[in-house]
């Protein structure tokens, strides 16, 4: 059996490990943290017993049937629809911007046609070729909507003036002319009943997989294996010798609302409220009990989320891949491509934001490709995964 080392017990490493374990490979999965599941980790809050997502709210949604079937093999998924609210200087509204949002924001009724025409009338027609996030916003919806919902939130999330961000970031945000307030449009959406960590533990539960926590990857360690899959930071693998890739990190401020602040243990009435005003320092408040409406809890626990630049000692969350060109990334990719016996995977290894479904899809594709090209006893070279 070929021996494979997987660095990272997050979703990427776990899915690759399971696929290869079933093909009779011998897998050692290491993680420097004291838990599996990486950024998807969930656990029960010690005080309230509410299932919380340690690294920020995670909602599973996908349009890839194979991925939906895959996760449902390992965990029971409960129906869950993500309905986000936006707290703004003009009140609290339904997100994504939809017919109800428009009616409330402008204090009048709209049919879909009227709403479309109205938004068109507000759009700044003088911007014919929007060059950045702000120009795109103004050209699509005009000043009021853009500043109410998008400019302040974006400034806080990315720490940059929206004029410095590419127009493509705005194009990814949904905007609707009907009453649909389901944040995602994917046909499959849900929440694992016993949390993401249980899902991942179940994927790892195979006799050919050995998991070692509190274990940091070293190159000496790698030399003992036939191949390495590495889901840690790409620049860290090279000891940051060319410089550091930029990330945003998040700080979470946990609080337990008192009985007098809640109605029967409900603090904000839903799982996620975005705070769009630049005057409020946090980007959102998440009340995790609402992710599990099938459970009953007397108490509640909430997290305020703050976004800032990632310093060397911080946990990297979002790769700052806002503009198309990134010279430093290109240099690291060129270095990675010279290596043999290692495949870089996942959000940190590929320096790219992936939702969980895309992470699973990419991990399955990578593992299948590996099976085809790997020959036991030979040093296997894998190209930097093109995704
Ligand atoms: C705030 C936030 C919210 C999100 N919300 C959603 C959502 O709602 N829906 C959705 O589909 N997706 C969401 N995601 C994306 C989701 O978290 C990712 O798809 C997923 O975590 C990627 O898994 P991964 O294994 O690639 O990376 P990770 O989960 O980061 O796993 C990498 C693992 O490698 C370990 N590691 C790194 N370096 C080393 C080393 N040198 N030695 C040993 N171990 C190492 C780390 O400890 C970590 O456990 C969100 C992400 C964030 C940041």
């Amino acid at each position: 059996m070929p021996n494979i080392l997987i660095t990272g017990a997050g979703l990427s490493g776990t899915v690759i490990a399971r696929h290869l374990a079933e093909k009779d490979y011998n897998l050692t999965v290491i993680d420097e943290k004291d838990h599996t599941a990486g950024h998807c980790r969930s656990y029960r809050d010690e005080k309230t017993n509410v299932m919380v997502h340690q690294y920020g709210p995670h909602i599973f949604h996908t349009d890839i049937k194979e991925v939906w079937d895959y996760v449902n093999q390992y965990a029971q998924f409960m129906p869950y629809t993500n309905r986000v609210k936006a707290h703004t200087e003009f009140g609290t509204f339904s997100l994504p911007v939809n017919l109800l949002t428009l009616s409330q924001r402008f204090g009048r009724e709209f049919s879909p046609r009227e709403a479309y025409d109205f938004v068109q009338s507000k759009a700044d027609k003088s911007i014919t070729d929007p060059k950045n996030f702000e120009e795109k916003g103004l050209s699509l919806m005009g000043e009021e909507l853009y500043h109410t919902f998008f400019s302040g939130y974006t400034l806080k999330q990315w720490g940059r003036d929206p004029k410095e961000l590419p127009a493509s970031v705005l194009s990814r945000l949904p905007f609707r002319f009907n009453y649909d307030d389901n944040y995602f449009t994917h046909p499959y959406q849900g929440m694992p009943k016993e949390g993401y960590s249980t899902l991942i533990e179940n994927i790892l539960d195979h006799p050919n997989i050995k998991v070692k926590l509190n274990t940091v990857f070293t190159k000496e360690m790698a030399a003992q294996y036939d191949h390495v899959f590495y889901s840690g930071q790409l620049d860290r693998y090279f000891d940051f010798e060319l410089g550091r890739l930029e990330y945003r990190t998040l700080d979470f401020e946990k609080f337990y609302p008192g009985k007098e602040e809640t109605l029967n243990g409900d603090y904000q009435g839903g799982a996620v409220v975005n705070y769009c005003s630049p005057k409020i320092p946090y980007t959102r408040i998440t009340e995790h009990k609402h992710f599990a409406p099938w459970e009953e809890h007397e108490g509640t626990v909430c997290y305020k989320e703050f976004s800032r630049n990632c310093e060397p000692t911080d946990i990297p969350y979002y790769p700052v891949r806002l503009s198309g060109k990134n010279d430093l990334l290109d240099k690291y990719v060129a270095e990675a491509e010279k290596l043999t016996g290692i495949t870089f995977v996942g959000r940190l290894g590929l320096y790219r934001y992936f939702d969980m479904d895309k992470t699973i899809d990419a991990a399955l594709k990578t593992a299948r490709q590996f099976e085809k090209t790997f020959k036991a006893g030979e040093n296997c070279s894998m190209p930097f995964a093109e995704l």
Side-chain angles (χ1 to χ4, degrees), residues 22-90:
E22 286 177 1
K23 307 287 173 188
D24 278 346
Y25 289 78
N26 219 340
L27 285 307
T28 302
V29 179
I30 59 164
D31 204 297
E32 63 184 347
K33 298 207 172 87
D34 62 0
H35 61 77
T36 58
H39 259 60
C40 303
R41 184 185 183 223
S42 58
Y43 64 95
R44 292 220 175 256
D45 175 65
E46 61 282 5
K47 210 164 151 184
T48 59
N49 206 35
V50 167
M51 185 68 80
V52 293
H53 305 166
Q54 179 174 350
Y55 299 95
H58 277 64
I59 297 101
F60 197 93
H61 57 98
T62 187
D63 57 353
I64 311 171
K65 170 98 171 43
E66 186 198 8
V67 169
W68 182 241
D69 291 342
Y70 182 88
V71 292
N72 277 276
Q73 279 179 71
Y74 296 105
Q76 182 185 355
F77 272 73
M78 302 295 280
Y80 182 81
T81 304
N82 196 28
R83 299 190 199 283
V84 179
K85 299 291 172 278
H87 177 284
T88 77
E89 289 165 66
F90 301 94

Side-chain angles (χ1 to χ4, degrees), residues 7-13 30-33 37-40 55-61 215-217 230-233 236 250 284 305 317-318 346-348 353-357 359:
T7 298
L11 209 42
S12 298
I30 59 164
D31 204 297
E32 63 184 347
K33 298 207 172 87
H39 259 60
C40 303
Y55 299 95
H58 277 64
I59 297 101
F60 197 93
H61 57 98
T215 306
V216 181
F217 171 85
Y230 182 88
S231 69
Q233 284 169 259
R236 182 175 167 196
L250 300 177
R284 53 184 175 176
E305 189 173 320
Y317 276 76
Y318 297 108
R347 62 178 199 98
L348 300 171
Y353 178 83
F354 287 116
D355 272 331
M356 290 180 280
D357 65 325
T359 300

Side-chain angles (χ1 to χ4, degrees), residues 88-90 95 97 102 105-106 119 122-124 127 132-155 160-167 169-171 173 175 276-278:
T88 77
E89 289 165 66
F90 301 94
L95 274 186
V97 175
L102 294 170
R105 174 66 182 85
F106 295 103
V119 172
K122 294 276 177 185
D124 185 342
I127 306 170
N132 57 51
F133 184 97
E134 177 148 315
E135 287 184 6
K136 181 86 180 179
L138 296 175
S139 72
L140 284 176
M141 62 189 87
E143 295 271 351
E144 288 137 302
L145 287 170
Y146 171 69
H147 288 300
T148 305
F149 296 106
F150 296 101
S151 60
Y153 188 87
T154 305
L155 176 69
R160 304 240 170 109
D161 187 317
K163 289 191 198 75
E164 294 171 35
L165 303 178
V169 175
L170 192 108
S171 315
L173 301 174
F175 195 110
C276 300
S277 165

Side-chain angles (χ1 to χ4, degrees), residues 96-143:
V97 175
N98 63 67
L99 214 45
L100 186 62
T101 323
L102 294 170
S103 299
Q104 290 173 333
R105 174 66 182 85
F106 295 103
R108 50 170 284 196
E109 296 296 310
F110 290 107
S111 69
R113 178 79 244 176
E114 288 164 348
Y116 178 81
D117 292 342
F118 179 78
V119 172
Q120 287 298 306
S121 75
K122 294 276 177 185
D124 185 342
K125 301 278 181 337
S126 69
I127 306 170
T128 50
D129 180 19
K131 298 271 186 301
N132 57 51
F133 184 97
E134 177 148 315
E135 287 184 6
K136 181 86 180 179
L138 296 175
S139 72
L140 284 176
M141 62 189 87
E143 295 271 351

